[in-house]
Amino acid sequence: MSARVLVIEDAEAIGAAVSSALRESGYEVQHRLDGRQLEADLGRFRPDLVVLDVMLPGRDGFQLLEVVRRSSGAGVVMLTARDGVPDRLRGLSSGADDYVGKPFVLAELVARVSAVLRRLGRTPSTVQVGDLVVDADAGVVLRADKAIELTATELRLLVYLAAQRGRVVSKTQILTAVWGYEDYDPNLVEVHVSAVRRKIEEHGSRLVHTVRGLGYVLRAEE
C-alpha cells in the first residue's frame, strides 16, 4: 500500500502542484485548504505524513503541529514562506521532521517527504521487479544478483520508475519527478531511459517498456 500524505496548504495552486507531484511519486494524497478538519482526517485518512503550511487561516501551522503530535505518529514537513531562523527552530523544536521554505522546487520537496517517510519506516526503500532489486537508501541496484553501476541521475530515474512499477508514466512526469522541471527537452528523458535500459538489460530480459504515445513503464513480463 502507498504511503498516505495529507497536504494542508491554503494557496490552492501550490497545494494542487504539491499534491500532483506527490501522487506522481506514488503516494496517496489528500489536500485541504485549512486545518478545520485535521482531527477527522487524522482519524479517517490516517496519513503517514502531513505537509503543513505555517501561514493558514484559523489555526496556524504551529497549532496544527501540536494536534498532529498529540493524536498521530505521522511525520510532518513544515512548508512556509517564512525563512527566519526563529520560525525554523520553533517548528523543529515542536516536533516537525523537516522544514521547507518557499519558493521551492517540487522535486526537492518530494525528496524530503520520501526521506522522512523512510526514516519513519513508512515506505520500503527496497523494491523488487522480477529479478531486479532497487534499494533507494543504499543506492544499490541488482539484477539477477549482479550489481549494476548507475550514475546519480540514472539511479533517481530508476528509483522513480520502480516506485511507479506497473504504471505508465509520461516524459513530463519523469522530468518533474527526477529533474524538478516540466519544460526540459523530452530527449533528456529518452537518453537516460535508454542508458538505464541498456545497463539493467545486459543481465536479463526487458523490464523498461516504451508505451508509444504515452511514456514508459517498469514491468516484468509474465
Side-chain angles (χ1 to χ4, degrees), residues 42-92:
L42 293 175
R44 287 197 299 261
F45 183 52
R46 292 180 298 168
D48 296 292
L49 184 139
V50 181
V51 175
L52 183 57
D53 188 27
V54 169
M55 301 297 292
L56 291 167
R59 293 181 294 179
D60 67 20
F62 296 120
Q63 292 172 303
L64 296 177
L65 174 60
E66 293 177 2
V67 174
V68 175
R69 285 292 164 256
R70 285 198 308 267
S71 310
S72 168
V76 176
V77 175
M78 304 291 284
L79 183 64
T80 181
R82 291 181 176 175
D83 57 0
V85 172
D87 284 325
R88 291 202 300 273
L89 292 178
R90 181 181 175 187
L92 295 171

Side-chain angles (χ1 to χ4, degrees), residues 9-61:
E9 164 60 68
D10 65 322
E12 193 164 355
I14 295 175
V18 169
S19 298
S20 177
L22 289 168
R23 288 191 186 100
E24 288 174 2
S25 294
Y27 299 117
E28 184 180 347
V29 181
Q30 289 192 5
H31 173 214
R32 302 284 183 254
L33 296 175
D34 56 52
R36 285 181 295 180
Q37 62 185 72
L38 175 60
E39 288 85 352
D41 283 328
L42 293 175
R44 287 197 299 261
F45 183 52
R46 292 180 298 168
D48 296 292
L49 184 139
V50 181
V51 175
L52 183 57
D53 188 27
V54 169
M55 301 297 292
L56 291 167
R59 293 181 294 179
D60 67 20

